[in-house]
Amino acid sequence: MKHFLDIHTTSLADLRKIIDTGRIIKEARAGKPKGALDQDTPLKDHVVALIFEKPSTRTRVSFDVGVRQMGGSTMVLSGADMQLGHGETIADTAQVLSRYVDLIMMRTFEEDTLLEMAEHATVPVINGLTNRTHPCQIMADILTFEEHNGPIKGKKVVWSGDGNNVFASFAHAAKQFEFDLVFTGPPPLDPEASLDGLYTTVRDPHEAVDGADLVVTDTWVSMHDPQSARERRHNQLRGYQVNRALMDSAKPDALFMHCLPAHRDDEATSEVMDGPNSVIFDEAENRLHAQKAVMKWCLES
């Protein structure tokens, strides 16, 4: 069973195959209507369950559209629909769903929920996000970087802000794809200890981005954070905003990425987000192509 659960649990050869397939899929769709079927329809007569314990815009739309473009159909299920682990066990849910659908994408809170689903499912399971990692996003990010600036191997990537789940997947990718990753942010928001050794820390953001090929940030607050936490995070992270002055410290052709949604003029200024170095909307589009490549890979024997 080929699950796509995390970048560090997938071989470099398979990761590279997914990235290369995503690029081919994107190129093959050039000029076609957005609703048109792909020439290759590996999901024809297949049903994909899209499970959302956490709400989403990009993940939901990109997976739903991707399945349809590859000839399949989707069943979208929310946490309220399923109440995972509160009534029927996750293991039983996994086995029942496996009798109905051909593939499961799950966007959930706890990593253990995803892992238990994958352990008991008899169809492939894809990590659409957990509190710990977000591998599909980073696959799209690498696809985006390489279509603009060539191979990411040996390049310098700088993360400014909170060492969150998206950063964790960047750290896993840094080891697999062999690029240098720098974290710049306040000590209270350092990445989890399990990621030690996969990146370096530079507290001064301008020093951190010196020579950077890519500067990345993410929202400072979650939709689930209380107001007190929002205010505290703003105070902690204000010095790590990605603005024009910070981008000027990077290489002239350095790219700027943000996985969205963004709070404009908080973690990044609109000047940067809409500026010549920004590839945020290419990055968002490439979620579609990278995830289609992930699904295709999962179903290959």
Side-chain angles (χ1 to χ4, degrees), residues 41-57:
T41 53
L43 291 177
K44 186 176 185 297
D45 300 325
H46 285 56
V47 178
V48 180
L50 306 177
I51 302 174
F52 292 94
E53 284 200 292
K54 274 188 154 183
S56 165
T57 299

Side-chain angles (χ1 to χ4, degrees), residues 271-282:
E271 181 184 14
V272 169
M273 293 180 67
D274 298 326
N277 301 82
S278 175
V279 291
I280 60 174
F281 297 115
D282 289 343

Side-chain angles (χ1 to χ4, degrees), residues 141 145 149 152 155-159 170 179 209 211-216 247 250 253-257 279:
D141 291 354
F145 182 90
N149 280 7
I152 199 168
K155 297 298 175 68
K156 180 178 179 180
V157 177
V158 179
W159 177 279
F170 254 118
F179 59 85
V209 303
D213 298 284
L214 170 62
V215 178
V216 191
M247 289 299 298
D253 64 345
L255 301 178
F256 168 73
M257 290 190 190
V279 291

Side-chain angles (χ1 to χ4, degrees), residues 52-94:
F52 292 94
E53 284 200 292
K54 274 188 154 183
S56 165
T57 299
R58 273 148 294 278
T59 300
R60 176 166 179 166
V61 174
S62 57
F63 266 107
D64 199 341
V65 170
V67 170
R68 295 176 192 223
Q69 288 179 350
M70 292 197 292
S73 58
T74 60
M75 175 182 295
V76 180
L77 300 167
S78 71
D81 294 328
M82 304 187 69
Q83 297 184 333
L84 281 168
H86 299 295
E88 185 175 53
T89 66
I90 296 167
D92 286 352
T93 300

